[in-house]
Amino acid sequence: MNPHPEPGVVADVVLDGGWRRNVTVIGGADPVLLRPIEGPATLPGTLTWCPACLEWRDGHRAARLNGMLTHAAEGFALTPIGSGRTLQRRRFVRVAAEVPAALVAHDQRVIARTINLSLGGMLVADAADLRIDEPLQFALDVGSDT
C-alpha cells in the first residue's frame, strides 16, 4: 500500500460529525494537496483547520491517512499525522493463502488454487466453470507438519 495517495486519485476528506467532501489529489506528501470535485473549497462553519482523514482506494484495498486539514490555494491541504494504513472493512479478515483446492458442485469437480481465505469464504482462481451462488463442497491441501 502507498503511504500517501498518488496525484490524480479520487478520495474523500472526512471530518468527525459526518462532513465529507469528494476530492482529487493534486500533489504533495507533506502536505497532501487536494482539490474539491464539486462544491466550495471551504471548511465547515468558521473552521480554519481541523483533524480529518483522507480515504481512498489503493488497488482492491481501502486506505486511510489521518492528519490536519487546512485551506490551500487550490482547495485543501492535509498535513499527515502518521502514515497511511489499509482498512479492514470485512466481518472476517482475509488472509493471502495460495493452496490447492478440490471443489465439488452438484455435478462438477474442479481442481483450483485459492488466492485468499477467510472464515466467511475463499477466493479461488481457475474455477470459472462454477457458478458464484452454487453450493459446493471443498477440500484444501494445506500440507503437513512433518
Side-chain angles (χ1 to χ4, degrees):
M1 186 204 80
N2 295 329
H4 298 92
E6 299 290 326
V9 166
V10 174
D12 285 326
V13 175
V14 183
L15 306 183
D16 286 343
W19 186 90
R20 179 179 292 264
R21 184 63 49 94
N22 197 240
V23 296
T24 301
V25 176
I26 57 174
D30 192 6
V32 178
L33 302 175
L34 310 164
R35 178 182 299 129
I37 291 178
E38 55 185 53
T42 57
L43 294 171
T46 60
L47 293 175
T48 57
W49 61 269
C50 58
C53 68
L54 185 64
E55 297 177 344
W56 74 96
R57 301 285 302 163
D58 185 19
H60 295 289
R61 298 175 290 197
R64 176 179 287 157
L65 178 64
N66 293 321
M68 295 302 281
L69 188 67
T70 58
H71 181 73
E74 295 188 52
F76 303 109
L78 182 83
T79 302
I81 298 172
S83 60
R85 66 181 197 270
T86 300
L87 301 178
Q88 178 59 254
R89 294 185 178 188
R90 301 186 180 281
R91 183 171 171 207
F92 301 112
V93 175
R94 287 186 177 187
V95 177
E98 190 173 323
V99 297
L103 310 169
V104 179
H106 186 60
D107 61 349
Q108 291 180 290
R109 295 169 193 249
V110 175
I111 301 297
R113 292 194 68 75
T114 65
I115 296 172
N116 63 45
L117 302 169
S118 76
L119 191 56
M122 64 183 154
L123 178 62
V124 293
D126 304 323
D129 293 338
L130 299 175
R131 290 193 342 255
I132 291 176
D133 293 332
E134 187 172 9
L136 58 83
Q137 294 179 327
F138 65 93
L140 302 177
D141 182 1
V142 294
S144 66
D145 285 349
T146 60

